[in-house]
Amino acid sequence: MKLRTHTFVSLVLFALVAAASSSGCTVLLHDDKQQCTTDADCTKRGAAFARSICSVTDNVCVDSDIAGCTSNEKCTASNNGAPSICKKPGGPCVPVFTAECNTLIPHDAKMRDNAVLFAFTGLKSGSEAEAQKISYNIIEMGVNELNRSLVGLPGGPNNVPRPVIGLECDESQAEGEGEYDRLRRSYKHIIDDLGIQAIISNSYSTSVVNVVEPELTRPAGVFLMPNLSFSPLISTLDDNGLVWRSSSPTTVQAPAQAALVPIVEAKLRAGTNPPQGDIKVALLTSTGVVFSSSGDTVLNEIRFNNGKDAAQNKAQGNFQRFNHTSSNDDQNVDLAPTANDIAQFKPNIIVATNKGQDLWEAVEPRPKGIGPAVERLWTETRYRPFYIISPPSIERATAYLNTITDSVRREDLRQRIVAVDQSPPNATTYSNFIINYQAIYKNPKEDPVASGLNNYAVEYDGIYTMIYAMFAAAQKNPTLTGKSIAEGISRLTSGDPFYVGQTDTPQVKQRLASGQNVNLQGVYSLLDFDMSSGDSPTETSVVCLEKSTSAATGLEWKFSSMTWDRTQRTFPGGATASCLK
């Protein structure tokens, strides 16, 4: 269980980073909290201040003869306009950009004095880069909206709002380097060089659990939000209350996946070529906690052939679990033996909880994913397998189908795939978010709906929650820390309801500034956090891969009306999804 020193009713995980003001510098002491905003304010103080200048980082008068920096703006100017900060007046200027961290949000942001930084790390190169571009876009969209509607955070000199600026960093493995070398460089620059206090991370779950949290962020007291890392191990980190996510682990969706098996069985039995006697089910899992733990949950809850469990069906030769090494653990893993074993088993249904690339990777002329291989090796003429897939496989299923040029074969496979996924609690609010996103980002490859990456919207919930929490924390103390940001989130869990998004920002700002609380609602997350795990529950629904005339690919994942009831552990109303009728 997590050790939490504060009680919060609700929390959203975004990685925000505040560049902390420092007082450990050589200054001309005075009783005033704020001595100056300009150099002239210092010289007016008398002979003792004749050679002083104003350090706008701390708003104190500094001896002009000292070596080192006095402001972010002067540091940036001395670095030929490249963003730089004065982390400690009298110390060296610190460049914001490195080879790994080289983009600001907003892109045209100026490194003004008293700007508040947050960091966002992800896989900006390699196979995941195209998908993660959607996440970057969503965060950029949220920051731009908030800089317009919220204007900035309290605590600036003369009550001038402080702008919020994001720094994007790459943590993907560089060619010829160790797995975590670039990741460590990015985080050490963010934390050690820049003093950033909170980070939103798109790291793999294994990276978060093994390196990022225990080695880098926890010892520094930095607030971490791994919103797109879905391992259940993150829920149990001993993180001093600093790790939160606006999402839930994949194990939350696994019971719904298991519950679909008897529903699909009924569909097959009602079809034109129904199974004769019992059906066979294959459970496809892999190494890695995200995938294997979801498989364990399915294994415990799966029921078919008149309600028999996995063990009973296995004893009769009707169930088998196939586990393979994930490509996360071995990039050169040979998946062909697993595909061959499944094809020989001849299951009516394949329940897959493994990695999307391992299931559907399309590398022509011979796709290496297990699904394409099973389809190629299949010899049973009476039926072909029906796939019940999990969130990690949704995007890759679309990509694979788009490689099939035979329209008949493509349509046949499309009708044999169904998925469960996190789903928005309010369809109208989510639709408005998508409309706004698509108006800004027009590249079809960066469309979360067409790509099957609807759940990336948790990043939008996260950025709003984080910056509102920063606003609330800055009202109390302008110097933000990971701990104070977490405390600020407690202001967002009760009171009148308001949705994330710029429409409600003026009301949220007014309430927080006057000391009132708000009950923040997400476009994709319920923002109703589990205080022992730091997770935010999400709804789970059945999604169907539909033909579409509007999507560039001709295919689009669409949410059905089948929403999983977490309390009753069932789909109320039965099989209403179009792909299950």
Side-chain angles (χ1 to χ4, degrees):
M1 174 173 290
K2 290 193 173 193
L3 299 179
R4 296 196 176 266
T5 56
H6 301 279
T7 301
F8 312 132
V9 179
S10 141
L11 180 63
V12 174
L13 300 146
F14 179 95
L16 167 125
V17 185
S21 298
S22 170
S23 59
C25 58
T26 303
V27 298
L28 297 174
L29 298 179
H30 199 279
D31 289 340
D32 298 13
K33 247 186 180 181
Q34 178 176 298
Q35 295 183 340
C36 62
T37 57
T38 67
D39 293 345
D41 292 339
C42 293
T43 56
K44 289 177 183 178
R45 288 180 171 268
F49 293 84
R51 296 176 56 81
S52 65
I53 59 176
C54 185
S55 167
V56 293
T57 304
D58 283 352
N59 299 110
V60 295
C61 296
V62 182
D63 189 336
S64 62
D65 288 337
I66 66 172
C69 66
T70 58
S71 73
N72 294 347
E73 293 179 353
K74 290 178 181 179
C75 283
T76 298
S78 67
N79 194 20
N80 298 316
S84 303
I85 66 167
C86 181
K87 181 182 177 183
K88 179 179 180 181
C93 292
V94 181
V96 173
F97 286 169
T98 65
E100 289 76 31
C101 305
N102 51 33
T103 305
L104 294 180
I105 308 173
H107 294 308
D108 60 350
K110 305 298 182 185
M111 196 53 57
R112 291 189 236 158
D113 299 310
N114 293 305
V116 180
L117 288 173
F118 73 88
F120 172 55
T121 70
L123 307 174
K124 297 186 70 175
S125 56
S127 61
E128 298 287 343
E130 187 173 282
Q132 291 217 353
K133 183 62 168 64
I134 296 173
S135 180
Y136 282 96
N137 291 346
I138 290 172
I139 289 173
E140 178 184 62
M141 175 178 163
V143 172
N144 287 338
E145 288 177 354
L146 283 160
N147 275 324
R148 289 193 300 266
S149 55
L150 193 66
V151 182
L153 304 183
N158 298 324
N159 295 319
V160 175
R162 295 182 291 167
V164 177
I165 301 174
L167 175 65
E168 295 181 2
C169 296
D170 189 6
E171 61 176 65
S172 52
Q173 183 175 358
E175 186 175 353
E177 291 191 342
E179 182 177 3
Y180 298 123
D181 289 352
R182 179 184 274 170
L183 179 150
R184 286 190 173 98
R185 286 199 301 273
S186 289
Y187 275 82
K188 287 181 178 179
H189 175 62
I190 292 166
I191 296 170
D192 297 340
D193 298 343
L194 300 177
I196 285 173
Q197 290 297 299
I199 302 167
I200 185 166
S201 168
N202 273 358
S203 302
Y204 288 124
S205 293
T206 51
S207 301
V208 173
V209 172
N210 296 331
V211 179
V212 173
E213 193 278 332
E215 177 184 325
L216 300 167
T217 59
R218 188 203 308 171
V222 170
F223 187 73
L224 180 68
M225 297 186 76
N227 296 326
L228 296 179
S229 301
F230 300 113
S231 170
L233 291 181
I234 294 175
S235 307
T236 61
L237 289 171
D238 182 10
D239 58 29
N240 297 328
L242 294 170
V243 179
W244 302 83
R245 51 183 170 176
S246 55
S247 57
S248 51
T250 52
T251 46
V252 172
Q253 285 85 50
Q257 208 175 354
L260 280 181
V261 172
I263 294 175
V264 171
E265 178 186 3
K267 170 184 169 65
L268 298 179
R269 294 193 184 282
T272 56
N273 188 22
Q276 302 300 312
D278 288 344
I279 65 167
K280 289 184 175 183
V281 175
L283 174 59
L284 177 58
T285 64
S286 69
T287 57
V289 174
V290 171
F291 314 115
S292 62
S293 57
S294 294
D296 292 343
T297 301
V298 172
L299 181 68
N300 291 333
E301 304 206 14
I302 196 169
R303 301 289 186 273
F304 60 100
N305 289 334
N306 294 317
K308 297 173 186 174
D309 63 21
Q312 292 169 321
N313 276 295
K314 181 176 174 59
Q316 296 176 355
N318 294 322
F319 176 81
Q320 191 165 339
R321 179 172 183 167
F322 299 87
N323 192 65
H324 66 85
T325 300
S326 169
S327 60
N328 282 354
D329 299 321
D330 180 1
Q331 294 182 359
N332 298 313
V333 61
D334 183 5
L335 300 174
T338 302
N340 186 65
D341 290 345
I342 293 175
Q344 291 187 15
F345 182 60
K346 299 180 181 179
N348 301 83
I349 299 172
I350 297 174
V351 184
T353 69
N354 60 340
K355 183 181 176 184
Q357 290 94 323
D358 293 345
L359 180 59
W360 296 115
E361 187 65 61
V363 181
E364 295 296 349
R366 294 182 64 80
K368 66 180 181 180
I370 292 173
V374 168
E375 291 294 308
R376 186 174 64 250
L377 296 168
W378 195 262
T379 58
E380 174 60 60
T381 58
R382 294 172 301 160
Y383 61 88
R384 298 186 76 85
F386 199 105
Y387 298 85
I388 303 176
I389 65 176
S390 60
S393 300
I394 289 175
E395 175 214 356
R396 296 291 174 168
T398 312
Y400 172 61
L401 281 163
N402 286 330
T403 68
I404 301 176
T405 56
D406 184 327
S407 59
V408 175
R409 187 163 67 93
R410 181 174 185 250
E411 177 62 12
D412 170 66
L413 179 56
R414 181 191 71 80
Q415 295 182 15
R416 290 187 283 114
I417 299 175
V418 67
V420 295
D421 196 8
Q422 299 175 42
S423 58
N426 185 301
T428 300
T429 304
Y430 177 72
S431 296
N432 290 341
F433 159 74
I434 290 296
I435 291 170
N436 292 335
Y437 176 95
Q438 291 172 337
I440 302 169
Y441 305 101
K442 302 181 186 300
N443 185 342
K445 292 182 178 180
E446 298 174 10
D447 189 318
V449 176
S451 301
L453 296 173
N454 299 277
N455 64 348
Y456 275 35
V458 296
E459 300 279 42
Y460 190 71
D461 295 338
I463 186 63
Y464 267 88
T465 302
M466 176 200 71
I467 293 182
Y468 284 158
M470 294 172 66
F471 186 95
Q475 291 280 121
K476 184 176 181 180
N477 187 338
T479 300
L480 296 173
T481 65
K483 179 181 177 181
S484 71
I485 295 164
E487 291 172 342
I489 292 181
S490 65
R491 299 277 309 282
L492 310 176
T493 61
S494 61
D496 293 334
F498 294 99
Y499 281 98
V500 300
Q502 58 188 337
T503 300
D504 284 355
T505 297
Q507 296 96 314
V508 172
K509 179 179 180 180
Q510 187 274 326
R511 300 294 176 93
L512 294 178
S514 64
Q516 300 179 66
N517 294 345
V518 298
N519 185 7
L520 199 60
Q521 311 287 307
V523 300
Y524 211 85
S525 171
L526 295 172
L527 304 188
D528 181 17
F529 288 85
D530 185 321
M531 294 301 104
S532 64
S533 68
D535 299 332
S536 171
T538 54
E539 300 284 11
T540 298
S541 296
V542 172
V543 289
C544 298
L545 187 55
E546 305 279 5
K547 291 188 288 186
S548 171
T549 56
S550 58
T553 60
L555 298 171
E556 183 176 345
W557 287 97
K558 292 187 177 181
F559 291 106
S560 73
S561 59
M562 288 180 65
T563 298
W564 179 247
D565 187 318
R566 297 190 304 276
T567 302
Q568 300 298 322
R569 304 182 73 76
T570 186
F571 288 104
T576 58
S578 61
C579 51
L580 294 175
K581 293 180 179 179

